[in-house]
Amino acid sequence: LALIAATLANAERKLGARPALWLHGGGASVLRADLPDARWVPDLVLQGLACWALGDHGGTAFALAKAPA
């Protein structure tokens, strides 16, 4: 968690705005309680592969439509 917090703080300093944090994959659900502002999409990688296979090479249309705010 400390590494995530430090990385977000560093990115915010460089970008001038806090970036979105996305949690995905097998162990991500454990982090949800400690990172309440993060978006959790457990199958984000599979969604990205589906987008790619369907020709959405930007990979954002499907993932962003399904992601909880």
Side-chain angles (χ1 to χ4, degrees):
L1 289 173
L3 178 60
I4 294 170
T7 302
L8 282 172
N10 187 38
E12 186 172 6
R13 276 192 306 278
K14 289 181 178 184
L15 298 172
R18 188 168 184 84
L21 176 62
W22 292 68
L23 298 177
H24 62 91
S29 62
V30 176
L31 300 173
R32 289 178 69 193
D34 294 314
L35 299 166
D37 294 334
R39 291 185 176 189
W40 183 57
V41 184
D43 61 348
L44 185 61
V45 172
L46 294 176
Q47 288 182 32
L49 290 172
C51 287
W52 187 265
L54 294 172
D56 178 13
H57 294 227
T60 57
F62 188 72
L64 293 179
K66 288 192 65 174

